[in-house]
Amino acid sequence: MEQNGTKENGRSEETPAPGPPQPVHIQDIRFTKIFIDNKWVQSSRGRTFATFNPATGCKLCEVEEADEEDVDKAVAAAKAAGRRGSAWQRMDACSRGKLLHRLADLVERDRLLLATVETLDTGKPFLQSLFIDLDGSIKTLRYYAGWSDKIHGKSLRVDESFMSITKHEPVGVCGAIIPWNFPLLMFMWKIAPALSCGNTVVVKPAEQTPLTALHMGSLIKEAGFPAGVVNIVPGFGPTAGAAIANHMDIDKVAFTGSTETGQLIQTAAAKSNLKRVTLELGGKNPCIVFADCDLQLAVEDTQTGAFYNQGQCCTAASRVFVEESIHDQFVRLSIENAKKIVVGDPLDPLTSHGPQIDQQQFDKIMDLIESGKEEGARLEYGGTPVSNKSLFIQPTIFSGVKDHMRIAKEEIFGPVQCIFSFQSQEEAVRRANSSRYGLVSAIFTSSMDRALSVSAALETGTVWINCYNSLHAQTPFGGYKMSGIGRELGEYALAEYTEVKAVTLKLKEAV
């Protein structure tokens, strides 16, 4: 995977090689309370929940559980911090950018600790946490720090009697509900554009992976953000998440997660105060591999797309359409490549494949693998748990997959690569588009004419040509169809966090 220019298991030129990760003990995890108004507080109802290391099954710590009453307090703090005349609203735009840069500096300072905690909480390999998630988080903060003093409107001369100007103003209090697969990176994708535009934020991290988000609370306070600008409420979807979606004083919700939950959030937003929504949802992403491609590149990139983060990505390359003349060779090379994947302890730098996040996700993946066997797909590699008492699943390859099969239609969110064959470009595009999802797609070909023609025909928000998972802070990200609403990242995300106000002036009549 490539995130902001850094290759998986590789180092960017400006990043020094780190030493081996230091063990993080339970007593070293300091931030486990709710973060409201720059203070660490306990749950209103005195409840806590456990977070576990999915690689070992061991409990890491207990975290304070926020519910509706805690969300109310967080929203009140955010609303007060965003009022006209508050320290945050009086701050000039350049100073907002300086705060975001300062926060990025602190993340860089703590990057080894944050990467280690991210690996403990999610099970993703340490080098991926360090060189993908942390690099992407820092670059996202710095990108939006640069935008803070460049958000402006236009002057519009209507006629001799009137002139209009437009202003881009903060939306207000923004709720951010983030997923468990990229908890730190998604935290940045939400707060960086929101703060750049002058909003205040209430963040609910996923209950499976709250620890890096809570550590960010300490850095936000240390950076000097005014109290109440960012609030963090760890808790569960049906309680804390629902409270955010339904809250009458939250003006916008940004959510990353499943399509089904996104539908619930959009319904709640409509039934409450018609708050804005940005939804980054599921994907069943097609890759089209033409016979004239660089075959080894296509094998490696599509497989990285399928197996990265144990397949727990909305961008997972889960439908690979290969031109018939190279299909058998592609399958053979894919099997050879999969055999090189190192499954093991996520803190071991040699490991490239960790566990699934929890038992529920593990069971869902294994059920879909069994359905693939039963429906007639050919299991070419993997398809079994690594052991009877763990959440590790072998990287799995199916060939001979047909469009009607469950593994061809449902989002697996696990390490399963489905390989199809096709005969014509028209057929490949038609089948690629035959999904309710439209998040990302990829094309592998040496013909730029073909690549541009096919990219125009694909119904996805992102199309990668001869690459995969190339995500950058400058480039907008979001989906067509049931893969979501709105865009994150890039200049386009700023529109999701501002209201446009038109002011019209009556001019004196010309002499």
Side-chain angles (χ1 to χ4, degrees):
M1 177 181 182
E2 184 178 336
Q3 165 66 43
N4 293 313
T6 304
K7 293 283 188 180
E8 179 188 0
N9 293 340
R11 298 183 181 90
S12 60
E13 292 180 1
E14 70 274 14
T15 304
Q22 299 301 310
V24 175
H25 303 287
I26 292 174
Q27 60 266 29
D28 296 325
I29 300 173
R30 297 169 50 202
F31 305 106
T32 61
K33 293 184 178 180
I34 299 166
F35 185 71
I36 297 176
D37 214 25
N38 277 7
K39 300 182 183 71
W40 296 102
V41 300
Q42 293 181 316
S43 165
S44 297
R45 299 194 179 183
R47 295 174 178 167
T48 63
F49 64 95
T51 183
F52 295 89
N53 180 345
T56 64
C58 295
K59 184 171 80 171
L60 294 170
C61 60
E62 291 281 335
V63 175
E64 295 289 326
E65 180 187 340
D67 59 17
E68 186 174 354
E69 186 176 346
D70 301 295
V71 170
D72 285 342
K73 292 177 182 177
V75 173
K79 191 172 182 178
R83 283 198 181 101
R84 185 175 299 277
S86 68
W88 180 240
Q89 290 306 316
R90 291 198 312 271
M91 187 179 293
D92 66 88
C94 182
S95 295
R96 286 203 307 270
K98 287 181 179 179
L99 281 178
L100 286 167
H101 274 304
R102 195 176 305 162
L103 184 59
D105 291 340
L106 294 174
V107 173
E108 287 204 83
R109 182 197 71 189
D110 287 1
R111 64 182 296 155
L112 191 59
L113 173 63
L114 283 165
T116 307
V117 173
E118 192 81 330
T119 289
L120 288 172
D121 216 14
T122 66
K124 65 177 61 185
F126 171 76
L127 290 184
Q128 293 176 13
S129 294
L130 185 65
F131 292 118
I132 307 288
D133 297 52
L134 265 296
D135 273 8
S137 296
I138 292 163
K139 289 175 179 178
T140 300
L141 286 171
R142 296 210 187 281
Y143 175 79
Y144 285 106
W147 266 112
S148 294
D149 58 357
K150 301 172 186 67
I151 301 167
H152 51 75
K154 299 177 181 180
S155 61
L156 311 168
R157 187 64 183 262
V158 179
D159 56 29
E160 290 186 350
S161 301
F162 295 95
M163 186 184 79
S164 294
I165 60 171
T166 60
K167 298 173 64 182
H168 291 246
E169 298 183 343
V171 172
V173 179
C174 297
I177 302 174
I178 58 179
W180 48 259
N181 56 342
F182 292 93
L184 184 62
L185 190 58
M186 294 300 102
F187 184 95
M188 303 308 182
W189 281 25
K190 302 293 186 289
I191 72 161
L195 299 180
S196 178
C197 294
N199 297 282
T200 59
V201 189
V202 176
V203 183
K204 191 203 86 66
E207 60 269 22
Q208 297 92 336
T209 56
L211 296 181
T212 48
L214 291 171
H215 189 96
M216 285 305 304
S218 73
L219 301 188
I220 285 162
K221 184 175 181 178
E222 184 179 351
F225 282 86
V229 171
V230 179
N231 307 273
I232 305 167
V233 287
F236 292 84
T239 51
I244 289 172
N246 286 286
H247 209 289
M248 296 297 292
D249 286 331
I250 289 182
D251 304 292
K252 182 253 167 70
V253 170
F255 168 76
T256 297
S258 72
T259 295
E260 293 74 20
T261 303
Q263 290 173 309
L264 294 174
I265 289 172
Q266 187 171 19
T267 300
K271 289 183 176 179
S272 54
N273 60 346
L274 276 177
K275 58 176 63 68
R276 282 192 190 195
V277 292
T278 301
L279 303 174
E280 197 268 282
L281 307 176
K284 193 65 183 172
N285 309 296
C287 303
I288 303 177
V289 181
F290 289 97
D292 66 348
C293 72
D294 178 331
L295 186 57
Q296 190 61 42
L297 172 71
V299 166
E300 292 175 0
D301 278 15
T302 57
Q303 197 158 88
T304 297
F307 298 151
Y308 182 77
N309 200 35
Q310 296 72 253
Q312 298 171 142
C313 301
C314 57
T315 61
S318 52
R319 291 189 297 150
V320 183
F321 295 92
V322 182
E323 195 161 2
E324 194 171 61
S325 61
I326 61 167
H327 173 270
D328 292 348
Q329 187 180 6
F330 183 93
V331 172
R332 177 177 58 79
L333 291 174
S334 295
I335 295 167
E336 292 175 6
N337 204 62
K339 290 178 179 178
K340 301 174 186 176
I341 295 172
V342 179
V343 181
D345 178 3
L347 286 173
D348 185 337
L350 296 177
T351 295
S352 56
H353 190 89
Q356 309 310 131
I357 188 66
D358 58 24
Q359 191 66 48
Q360 180 181 3
Q361 192 66 21
F362 177 94
D363 292 342
K364 174 191 171 187
I365 296 163
M366 291 307 302
D367 176 64
L368 282 163
I369 289 173
E370 288 305 311
S371 78
K373 297 177 187 177
E374 292 168 2
E375 291 182 322
R378 289 189 297 276
L379 179 62
E380 301 281 2
Y381 183 77
T384 60
V386 173
S387 75
N388 293 330
K389 296 182 179 180
S390 77
L391 297 176
F392 291 82
I393 297 175
Q394 280 188 313
T396 299
I397 301 173
F398 281 104
S399 69
V401 182
K402 305 301 180 184
D403 294 342
H404 68 273
M405 296 178 180
R406 285 182 63 198
I407 57 173
K409 296 190 297 183
E410 298 181 26
E411 186 177 30
I412 300 172
F413 228 65
V416 181
Q417 182 181 30
C418 299
I419 301 175
F420 308 69
S421 67
F422 71 90
Q423 294 182 336
S424 70
Q425 177 176 314
E426 180 183 10
E427 175 200 348
V429 170
R430 174 178 54 78
R431 293 171 66 192
N433 286 338
S434 63
S435 171
R436 64 175 182 155
Y437 297 111
L439 189 57
V440 304
S441 57
I443 305 160
F444 291 87
T445 178
S446 61
S447 167
M448 282 300 103
D449 286 345
R450 173 186 285 128
L452 293 174
S453 173
V454 173
S455 68
L458 289 172
E459 297 168 355
T460 60
T462 292
V463 181
W464 289 307
I465 298 174
N466 294 326
C467 59
Y468 206 87
N469 270 343
S470 297
L471 299 167
H472 304 86
Q474 302 89 337
T475 306
F477 182 77
Y480 286 20
K481 300 187 281 191
M482 294 189 77
S483 285
I485 297 172
R487 292 295 180 270
E488 296 190 292
L489 299 181
E491 182 180 358
Y492 290 83
L494 300 173
E496 310 289 349
Y497 289 95
T498 57
E499 295 283 7
V500 178
K501 178 180 287 184
V503 180
T504 299
L505 299 83
K506 178 76 161 63
L507 303 176
K508 291 183 179 180
E509 294 184 11
V511 177

